[in-house]
Amino acid sequence: MAQLEQAGTWKAIQRRTKHGDTIFWALTLFFALVVVFLVAAIGFVIWAGSQEARQAFGIRFLFEQGWNPVSGNFGALPAIYGTLVSSLIALFFAGPLGVMIGIFLTELCPARLKTPLSFLVELLAAIPSVIYGMWGVFVFIPFFRSTVAPLIAGSLGRVLPIFAGPTTGQSLMVAGIILAIMVLPTIASISRDVIAVVPSHQREAMLAVGATRWEMISKAVLPYSRAGIIGAMMLGLGRALGETMAALMVIGSLKPRIPDSWLNPGVTAAALIASELPNANDSLHESTLILIALVLFGITLLLNVGARLLVWQAARGPGGSIRA
Amino acid sequence: MIHQIPSYRRRKTTDRIMRGLTAVATLIALVPLFLILGYVLFRGIGSLNVAFFTETYRPPALSFGGEIQAAGGVLHGIVGTFMIVGAATLIALPIGILAGVFLAEYPSNSVATIVRFCTDVLSAAPSIVVGVVAYVLIVQRTRQFSGLAGSIALAVMMVPIITRTTEEILKLVPHGMREAAMALGAPKWRLTLTVVLPSALSGIVTGVMLAFARAAGETAPLLLTVLGSNNVSFDLLRPMMALPLLTYKYTQSPFPAENNLAWGTALILTMLVLIVNLLVRWATRNKLK
């Protein structure tokens, strides 16, 4: 009786909602494909936009030094040199430091302090890069110029010309140090996550045969998480390569050239694009800048894909997927 | 006893030194954090007054004492940031959430793999590259720098964050809930909309807030798309000003009075970003693994 009524109502409900699942699927699929479309659009635009420059210069563009917008002679080598040097300096400082912080937070830190300290380290990543640049210009550069640079120039500078010279403060070295601060939280938090998933039986086995805690870490934990740590450094490097504002404000130099010393101003690819694109002289100039963007995008993409393969799920988690 | 064996002493010393070094490393990381936040706070707080928040740009002027002063405030930056980032959020919200729903509800087909890969690519794209694309596609086509171009560029950067958070949060919703709804006869679309999404809502909102904070701090895409302006403007189709652009402009200025304004602007921007991050942290404090 009541069941027959319910059968009729159920049929009515089914009739009205049977298309719902298809519509839902189509709607979500559409917006998911928008994401794919965005990536395709980015790729297409920078590929097409750099067409003119690619035809004009070819592969030797990466190895040439001149940069003369008026005569149309462009070479990307100063930008590539500056980007690589500042990012590698950043990695030199932030890499070991980040791994040590990851070890501390996972293995050695008292449990109460772990969350607040992790939060503080990640707060470094939340600070906008223009504020790093501003702090660099007004606070760090005067300090560097008066205190650190004479030390470097006086000691290493006498031996290696790369560290020599008086400096106005704006330099590849300063950019490298500020990039190191910006990249440190990325390396630290991914290292921490990767080290945390090392199975405890590895640690216990080491301790059981009488290792000290540091020996346990260096001989059991770190080799096990080596791939993830390398992935963390690759992601950090990728972030440093693409960093625009902080580098733009502290690296100096209006004319792209390869400096004789790392204490002299230089230029990075991202900073070059940001400063010249809106005022580009002609379509070749603009196309060249887009070509530099293409190279930058390609390298960052390779680094990220490689790092993903090394790190996979260890860097993910609720809220944690934002980190990388 | 073991403690008298010299090699054990050596290993023990190494152990102590290295463990100490890791603690020192953590402290070293905190030094720049406090230095930067401290400088921004102390140098910026002097610029904060009522005029700062309610007036727009005024050119530096000579006062009676012969000093160049920069009166005026950053209202145009505050209004601009909220409008540009607000519009970006409106654009990115449906794309991000629905893409995240797709990835969580239909996870195992080949399209999902491609979409996940593209989300990773988008999140790895340097902000300058996104700015370049927005410049070429929008600014050059419309022959106009506009707030909307900046919003679109920022939306492209926000989408991967929202998508990933939504997917992760939806995957955390217990299957029992979905199965109970199915047992009651709800079709998939209905149970997702009325059962799964509401229970994941707080997580999704935190993802959107994180994306908002990130977009509010981005400067490079705005440099290429929004250009900047000296007036308070509510028109997204014209150039506007935004807080990070203002910070950059005042930093490059040769007038020390305007450099002080840069610290004040930086203080507002930092507080905005920090408060959002603190809120997110507080809201997810029970959900960390």
Side-chain angles (χ1 to χ4, degrees):
Chain A
M1 300 97 33
Q3 282 147 345
L4 281 176
E5 257 176 44
Q6 280 169 350
T9 329
W10 179 240
K11 277 226 158 59
I13 294 176
Q14 272 193 314
R15 223 183 315 122
R16 287 171 65 185
T17 60
K18 69 181 174 193
H19 299 298
D21 271 351
T22 322
I23 299 179
F24 178 72
W25 171 82
L27 193 68
T28 53
L29 177 66
F30 173 73
F31 281 103
L33 289 178
V34 167
V35 175
V36 178
F37 167 75
L38 285 176
V39 172
I42 293 179
F44 177 73
V45 166
I46 50 178
W47 184 258
S50 58
Q51 173 84 339
E52 203 183 323
R54 267 182 296 118
Q55 280 174 344
F57 300 121
I59 199 73
R60 60 182 176 82
F61 175 67
L62 295 175
F63 304 107
E64 298 238 319
Q65 280 204 40
W67 190 269
N68 192 335
V70 177
S71 74
N73 175 32
F74 296 109
L77 197 58
I80 293 181
Y81 179 82
T83 311
L84 277 181
V85 166
S86 56
S87 302
L88 288 175
I89 293 177
L91 205 59
F92 175 78
F93 287 116
L97 218 55
V99 176
M100 302 274 267
I101 296 175
I103 295 173
F104 179 78
L105 287 176
T106 319
E107 304 278 339
L108 305 167
C109 179
R112 280 172 308 140
L113 290 180
K114 184 170 171 182
T115 315
L117 281 179
S118 305
F119 170 67
L120 284 178
V121 170
E122 283 171 23
L123 211 55
L124 271 177
I127 299 177
S129 72
V130 67
I131 294 185
Y132 275 106
M134 182 191 76
W135 180 83
V137 167
F138 291 138
V139 176
F140 188 69
I141 284 186
F143 167 73
F144 185 82
R145 187 176 55 221
S146 58
T147 316
V148 182
L151 282 176
I152 300 180
S155 56
L156 288 171
R158 289 187 209 274
V159 178
L160 298 166
I162 249 182
F163 291 109
T167 175
T168 60
Q170 295 195 313
S171 57
L172 291 176
M173 181 64 78
V174 167
I177 295 177
I178 294 194
L179 283 178
I181 304 175
M182 298 178 76
V183 157
L184 187 61
T186 308
I187 300 183
S189 54
I190 299 181
S191 298
R192 181 199 66 201
D193 288 342
V194 165
I195 291 175
V197 295
V198 171
S200 46
H201 58 71
Q202 296 279 331
R203 300 192 179 92
E204 289 161 7
M206 254 336 243
L207 291 175
V209 295
T212 62
R213 291 181 72 181
W214 178 253
E215 282 170 356
M216 168 194 78
I217 294 172
S218 64
K219 292 191 177 20
V221 173
L222 284 184
Y224 194 96
S225 49
R226 185 174 39 210
I229 291 178
I230 295 181
M233 298 217 209
M234 286 167 74
L235 281 173
L237 182 63
R239 209 193 139 178
L241 290 177
E243 187 41 60
T244 316
M245 292 316 293
L248 178 58
M249 293 159 94
V250 302
I251 207 159
S253 178
L254 290 173
K255 179 169 163 56
R257 43 187 291 280
I258 297 183
D260 301 317
S261 154
W262 287 357
L263 293 179
N264 288 347
V267 73
T268 67
L272 186 61
I273 300 172
S275 57
E276 294 203 359
L277 189 59
N279 310 316
N281 285 0
D282 52 16
S283 65
L284 181 63
H285 189 190
E286 191 181 297
S287 182
T288 313
L289 291 170
I290 299 180
L291 180 56
I292 295 182
L294 175 67
V295 172
L296 190 64
F297 188 44
I299 298 178
T300 316
L301 201 57
L302 282 175
L303 277 176
N304 267 272
V305 168
R308 290 279 166 218
L309 291 174
L310 290 173
V311 176
W312 0 264
Q313 297 300 324
R316 294 182 168 232
S321 33
I322 317 304
R323 264 196 286 273
Chain B
M1 314 306 306
I2 188 169
H3 300 276
Q4 290 157 350
I5 302 177
S7 66
Y8 181 73
R9 283 239 183 86
R10 195 173 9 104
R11 289 166 52 209
K12 194 86 178 131
T13 317
T14 318
D15 175 51
R16 286 214 184 97
I17 293 178
M18 295 307 290
R19 282 197 284 146
L21 278 183
T22 60
V24 166
T26 314
L27 286 177
I28 290 181
L30 296 183
V31 164
L33 176 68
F34 289 119
L35 272 182
I36 295 177
L37 291 181
Y39 266 98
V40 168
L41 184 63
F42 286 119
R43 289 230 198 153
I45 204 134
S47 310
L48 296 188
N49 48 45
V50 178
F52 192 69
F53 285 99
T54 53
E55 288 184 20
T56 183
Y57 174 75
R58 269 201 242 155
L62 224 43
S63 72
F64 277 122
E67 276 177 19
I68 297 183
Q69 287 189 340
V74 297
L75 183 64
H76 54 315
I78 299 176
V79 165
T81 289
F82 277 105
M83 289 211 64
I84 295 176
V85 182
T89 313
L90 283 178
I91 300 175
L93 206 62
I95 303 177
I97 294 183
L98 286 173
V101 168
F102 176 81
L103 285 178
E105 297 295 322
Y106 306 96
S108 319
N109 56 73
S110 47
V111 178
T113 320
I114 299 179
V115 174
R116 258 190 218 108
F117 176 71
C118 287
T119 313
D120 284 344
V121 168
L122 264 189
S123 70
S127 57
I128 188 74
V129 170
V130 177
V132 166
V133 171
Y135 176 77
V136 171
L137 274 185
I138 308 176
V139 176
Q140 283 191 331
R141 290 279 169 82
T142 60
R143 309 210 154 280
Q144 168 98 30
F145 286 94
S146 60
L148 195 57
S151 291
I152 295 178
L154 289 181
V156 169
M157 304 200 64
M158 289 170 81
V159 162
I161 303 179
I162 301 179
T163 308
R164 263 201 272 178
T165 329
T166 309
E167 184 195 352
E168 301 280 341
I169 294 292
L170 284 179
K171 287 210 271 206
L172 282 179
V173 171
H175 265 291
M177 256 194 208
R178 290 193 180 89
E179 287 162 7
M182 281 192 239
L184 289 174
K188 184 161 189 158
W189 64 271
R190 182 152 187 167
L191 72 89
T192 310
L193 285 179
T194 60
V195 173
V196 177
L197 273 181
S199 70
L201 200 60
S202 63
I204 296 179
V205 165
T206 58
V208 173
M209 284 167 70
L210 275 177
F212 184 92
R214 165 111 196 258
E218 283 291 339
T219 322
L222 296 183
L223 260 186
L224 297 180
T225 52
V226 166
L227 187 65
S229 137
N230 287 331
N231 305 314
V232 177
S233 159
F234 292 96
D235 186 2
L236 274 178
L237 298 177
R238 287 274 130 81
M240 300 174 81
M241 186 51 87
L243 284 176
L245 272 181
L246 211 47
T247 315
Y248 176 61
K249 177 183 154 191
Y250 283 155
T251 307
Q252 306 293 92
S253 159
F255 300 112
E258 283 195 346
N259 295 342
N260 290 336
L261 285 185
W263 285 103
T265 319
L267 180 58
I268 302 181
L269 189 57
T270 314
M271 293 198 62
L272 178 65
V273 169
L274 277 190
I275 290 175
V276 171
N277 271 276
L278 282 169
L279 277 177
V280 165
R281 271 286 159 162
W282 178 79
T284 56
R285 68 194 180 289
N286 297 323
K287 296 192 184 149
L288 295 175
K289 276 191 219 163

